[in-house]
Amino acid sequence: MSVYLSGRDGYFASMPAEILAADDDEDIREMIDVSLSGEYDVETVKDGREAWECLEKDSDSLPKAVILDVMMPKMDGFSVLDRIREDDEMQEMSVIMLTSRSREEDIVRALEAGADDFLAKPFNKSELYGRIQQTLQ
């Protein structure tokens, strides 16, 4: 998916949508990057605190979507999601929660906290890609 920006003269330039992904598993971060980087600008970080720091420091160019692992060191995905939903500037940002725990209460908690989608590990590349495309529409 591309984001279209309008210029002064009505010129439209296409640029990839930015995605921030936080997961403490290096293999998952690499899979997310490989799965999405063909069409999106993807940045991966290793924990929730790093994700939140990226969002705070670069508030002028926020990503269109954030993928958050539920269980991470330093700050879990639910804490990051809560902060995102409390910040007025981040209300339009799509959030997909990612976890190896596909228990019903985790899914309900994520959706009630404002997640746009929930993806259980293990997942395949095409499922992740499809969920991102659907979420960004």
Side-chain angles (χ1 to χ4, degrees), residues 8-58:
R8 263 185 283 151
D9 302 322
Y11 173 76
F12 289 89
S14 175
M15 62 181 282
E18 186 176 12
I19 297 172
L20 175 64
D23 197 300
D24 56 326
D25 184 325
E26 186 175 348
D27 292 334
I28 297 294
R29 290 193 310 270
E30 185 175 330
M31 182 178 178
I32 291 169
D33 189 39
V34 168
S35 301
L36 302 175
S37 62
E39 190 160 343
Y40 301 102
D41 178 19
V42 179
E43 181 178 355
T44 61
V45 295
K46 66 180 184 261
D47 61 53
R49 187 177 71 194
E50 254 187 81
W52 182 247
E53 288 171 357
C54 285
L55 293 170
E56 273 190 316
K57 78 172 181 176
D58 214 1

Side-chain angles (χ1 to χ4, degrees), residues 59-60 62 84 86-93:
S59 61
D60 290 335
L62 292 169
I84 288 170
E86 290 170 0
D87 190 308
D88 291 339
E89 294 180 13
M90 298 182 193
Q91 292 302 307
E92 298 301 314
M93 188 182 309

Side-chain angles (χ1 to χ4, degrees), residues 69-88:
D69 185 18
V70 168
M71 295 177 59
M72 293 183 286
K74 300 182 184 175
M75 184 185 294
D76 68 18
F78 289 124
S79 297
V80 179
L81 174 61
D82 288 341
R83 289 182 178 197
I84 288 170
R85 292 304 180 225
E86 290 170 0
D87 190 308
D88 291 339

Side-chain angles (χ1 to χ4, degrees), residues 19 21 28 31-36 40 67 96 98 117 119 123-135:
I19 297 172
I28 297 294
M31 182 178 178
I32 291 169
D33 189 39
V34 168
S35 301
L36 302 175
Y40 301 102
I67 300 169
I96 296 176
L98 187 65
D117 205 346
L119 189 58
F123 58 90
N124 62 50
K125 294 176 187 179
S126 60
E127 182 180 15
L128 174 63
Y129 182 79
R131 299 272 183 119
I132 284 290
Q133 283 194 312
Q134 183 66 33
T135 301

